[in-house]
Amino acid sequence: MEKNQKHDPLWDVYHSSLGERDGVAVINISKNSVSSSLLNNLPQLTESAPEASFITQEEIKIAKLDTLFDSLQLNGKKIYLKIDTQGYEEKVLEGAVNSLSKIKGIQIEMAFIPSYEGALTYETIKQKLEGFGFKLMAIENGFYDKKTGKQLEVDGIFYKP
């Protein structure tokens, strides 16, 4: 990411995972890298995508968005937050309770059938975001089982009116 950031003065890179606390965490690294998660996977994930199996673990920094938000100097700007954290979306929201009042739009991964232990379902994430004043405006296709065609996850796009 640093390589890409060097060519764009408006892009800042932070080496931290977002979550419900400040500190360190252990992330499970997947073979395909895009399925890496702070949560353990469920059989559904590797059945539909064998390349998503975990091959190692790594200690990483984790921080609440509420801790970082003011240092980002975003006050007065229209903020669009993308959350794609492989089942850890609830924890990101828990660490962003104060920041959510300053965010206009959120794109978030939502599972119809969870791929990770403890991941929230589509309905629960939708209810949580509605509780913060966001309205679901669009849904984009996401991860699906290539063998069965079953839709497993979608991205929900939420905005505050």
Side-chain angles (χ1 to χ4, degrees):
M1 281 196 229
E2 290 89 354
K3 186 173 116 180
N4 293 330
Q5 183 263 338
K6 287 179 185 177
H7 301 293
D8 187 343
L10 299 177
W11 189 5
D12 293 319
V13 175
Y14 297 87
H15 290 280
S16 182
S17 176
L18 292 179
E20 77 289 8
R21 60 190 164 84
D22 297 320
V24 294
V26 175
I27 191 169
N28 298 299
I29 307 296
S30 65
K31 190 184 298 185
N32 66 4
S33 79
V34 299
S35 300
S36 299
S37 178
L38 293 170
L39 302 175
N40 291 322
N41 62 18
L42 293 171
Q44 172 64 50
L45 178 64
T46 52
E47 287 170 11
S48 57
E51 67 279 4
S53 61
F54 296 150
I55 55 173
T56 190
Q57 293 182 320
E58 183 178 317
E59 188 173 276
I60 60 170
K61 180 181 171 186
I62 188 170
K64 297 187 298 185
L65 183 58
D66 285 346
T67 301
L68 302 173
F69 197 88
D70 288 337
S71 68
L72 300 174
Q73 300 176 346
L74 300 172
N75 290 330
K77 296 186 178 185
K78 292 181 181 177
I79 309 301
Y80 184 83
L81 176 64
K82 170 92 162 71
I83 305 174
D84 184 348
T85 53
Q86 306 315 106
Y88 213 67
E89 290 77 15
E90 176 183 27
K91 302 301 185 187
V92 172
L93 293 173
E94 286 176 12
V97 172
N98 298 321
S99 304
L100 290 175
S101 65
K102 303 169 190 169
I103 293 171
K104 183 72 173 166
I106 296 178
Q107 183 173 346
I108 188 167
E109 193 171 69
M110 303 185 301
F112 291 130
I113 300 170
S115 297
Y116 301 92
E117 287 180 10
L120 296 182
T121 61
Y122 166 91
E123 293 88 3
T124 306
I125 290 177
K126 181 177 178 286
Q127 288 172 353
K128 281 188 176 286
L129 287 174
E130 286 173 346
F132 286 109
F134 291 91
K135 302 285 184 214
L136 180 62
M137 304 301 282
I139 293 176
E140 291 185 353
N141 280 336
F143 181 56
Y144 67 96
D145 187 321
K146 293 179 178 127
K147 294 176 198 159
T148 65
K150 187 185 301 183
Q151 187 77 47
L152 303 174
E153 297 172 354
V154 294
D155 274 7
I157 299 174
F158 293 80
Y159 281 97
K160 282 187 188 169

